[in-house]
Amino acid sequence: MKSPVTVAVTGGAGQVAYSLLFQVANGSVFGNDQPVNLIIKEVPQFVGTLEGVRMELEDCAFPLLNKITLTDSDTEAFDGANWALLVGATPRGPGMERKDLLLMNAASFRDQGTAIDKTAASDIRVVVVGNPCNTNCLIAMHHAPDVPRTRFTALTRLDQNRSRAALAIKAGRPVSAVERMTIWGNHSSTQFPDFEHAVIDGKPVPEVISDRNWLENTFVEAVQKRGAAIIAARGKSSAASAANAVLDHVRSMLEQTDGDNWYSMGVVSDGNNYGIADGLIFSFPCRTDGKGEWSIVEGLSLSDYAKKKLETTQFELIGEREDVKELL
């Protein structure tokens, strides 16, 4: 039997973590022959709730679940971790500005980055889910200087999944027919869901869906505001679909990308890709080698329309970086 992979999950008492922990434990993410150690972290006032999560995990009798550790300590949370899924973050409240949310969560991600740097396994890979995830990822990465910058990624797979579903519904085709869907930039209302490079049944989306007004306005705005629409309809945030996207993200990093397809995730820019400033965590089209290493898809031709969209979302990310500059 293989040695266990250790997976740290923060925000363990929340709905997103609750929706993903059982799939991590049952083998559907890391493989049906890969034992898993789970380290589940929560802030002190909620750590007691984790006992119920532990009991449920135990009651599932997952053959691959080797060990469960519950903690409210960053140092213990990432001790020997091969994967860190940073789900926990303070949610945005009524009337709260995005800058307020950034500053509220910044210290937490600073501390988590520091702990990862000191205690995680040498092959650690970090997925930041808690919002604003791009800049939270930037903060954590900055405070883990001994971990390669490429090991830190931010979740934009939920936006990609939403985009694929919307295009499939409009075209009357299954989601599997929609490929090469890119989310550029920030996980926010400035993101650009790039329909120009996506394909449906191998054909460019604008050839299949000829209504350019629908693509540029209805589609783009619906994807950008989907999270708010779900909160308005359900009264709660999109926990299950977010958890599903985290699992998709990890699986994609563990599987070699097929052919000329790609997927979206927030990764650090080195200043040489599509005019994006060095050091920003920016969502790009990416491919992976099946061993956790990724590369940005190069050479895509961007229309003037797309370039303006990238400028807008980059401007927002630069502003967010400025807002937390005291932590960088």
Side-chain angles (χ1 to χ4, degrees), residues 113 154 203 246 284:
K203 298 179 181 179
V246 176
F284 290 100

Side-chain angles (χ1 to χ4, degrees), residues 8-21 39-46 50 71 74 77-78 84-92 101-102 104-113 116 126-137 139-140 153 155 237 239 242-243 246:
V9 180
T10 70
Q15 287 300 303
V16 176
Y18 186 79
S19 295
L20 67 83
L21 282 167
I39 306 176
I40 311 173
K41 193 245 180 187
E42 202 29 290
V43 294
Q45 58 265 41
F46 295 126
L50 295 183
T71 185
D74 285 328
F78 305 110
L85 310 181
L86 307 188
V87 177
T90 301
R92 189 170 180 172
L101 184 63
L102 268 172
M104 185 174 295
N105 284 307
S108 174
F109 284 87
R110 173 199 62 199
D111 295 345
Q112 290 176 38
I116 287 168
V126 181
V127 183
V128 179
V129 182
N131 285 316
C133 65
N134 293 60
T135 300
N136 287 340
C137 183
I139 294 167
T153 59
L155 184 74
S237 62
V246 176

Side-chain angles (χ1 to χ4, degrees), residues 83 98 129 152 194 240 285 328:
W83 286 83
R98 190 173 178 87
V129 182
F152 285 83
D194 182 1
L328 300 175

Side-chain angles (χ1 to χ4, degrees), residues 8-291:
V9 180
T10 70
Q15 287 300 303
V16 176
Y18 186 79
S19 295
L20 67 83
L21 282 167
F22 296 86
Q23 295 192 65
V24 172
N26 72 10
S28 67
V29 179
F30 293 96
N32 58 14
D33 62 347
Q34 177 60 66
V36 174
N37 293 332
L38 279 176
I39 306 176
I40 311 173
K41 193 245 180 187
E42 202 29 290
V43 294
Q45 58 265 41
F46 295 126
V47 74
T49 306
L50 295 183
E51 288 296 341
V53 177
R54 183 212 295 268
M55 287 189 281
E56 284 203 81
L57 285 164
E58 291 172 344
D59 291 350
C60 288
F62 293 126
L64 294 170
L65 182 53
N66 182 67
K67 181 181 179 183
I68 305 170
T69 301
L70 309 181
T71 185
D72 61 4
S73 163
D74 285 328
T75 300
E76 188 175 10
F78 305 110
D79 187 18
N82 308 106
W83 286 83
L85 310 181
L86 307 188
V87 177
T90 301
R92 189 170 180 172
M96 184 183 293
E97 297 295 330
R98 190 173 178 87
K99 181 178 179 180
D100 298 330
L101 184 63
L102 268 172
L103 295 175
M104 185 174 295
N105 284 307
S108 174
F109 284 87
R110 173 199 62 199
D111 295 345
Q112 290 176 38
T114 299
I116 287 168
D117 196 57
K118 293 180 178 179
T119 66
S122 60
D123 64 348
I124 181 67
R125 283 175 172 78
V126 181
V127 183
V128 179
V129 182
N131 285 316
C133 65
N134 293 60
T135 300
N136 287 340
C137 183
L138 176 67
I139 294 167
M141 180 186 74
H142 179 81
H143 288 277
D146 293 331
V147 178
R149 299 198 308 172
T150 56
R151 300 284 184 82
F152 285 83
T153 59
L155 184 74
T156 56
R157 186 59 169 266
L158 177 56
D159 306 302
Q160 175 186 315
N161 289 348
R162 289 167 168 168
S163 299
R164 292 180 66 209
L167 291 173
I169 292 168
K170 180 68 173 179
R173 300 293 299 142
V175 172
S176 59
V178 184
E179 296 182 314
R180 289 164 50 175
M181 184 67 226
T182 304
I183 302 298
W184 298 93
N186 203 2
H187 174 63
S188 75
S189 60
T190 68
Q191 66 176 264
F192 174 44
D194 182 1
F195 56 85
E196 294 183 324
H197 289 99
V199 297
I200 300 176
D201 295 316
K203 298 179 181 179
V205 164
E207 292 183 12
V208 179
I209 301 173
S210 59
D211 186 345
R212 183 80 185 191
N213 181 64
W214 182 87
L215 290 169
E216 290 190 7
N217 296 291
T218 305
F219 166 70
V220 169
E221 291 178 11
V223 174
Q224 290 173 335
K225 299 177 181 179
R226 183 69 165 186
I230 290 172
I231 292 173
R234 183 173 176 262
K236 297 179 181 180
S237 62
S238 47
S241 56
N244 179 71
V246 176
L247 301 171
D248 283 346
H249 179 114
V250 175
R251 289 189 193 101
S252 290
M253 292 188 72
L254 293 170
E255 300 171 358
Q256 185 171 4
T257 308
D258 293 334
D260 63 352
N261 201 9
W262 58 71
Y263 66 98
S264 302
M265 63 179 178
V267 299
V268 64
S269 171
D270 64 4
N272 295 311
N273 300 101
Y274 302 99
I276 303 306
D278 179 48
L280 289 181
I281 301 294
F282 194 93
S283 184
F284 290 100
C286 295
R287 296 191 177 105
T288 52
D289 64 359
K291 300 176 183 178

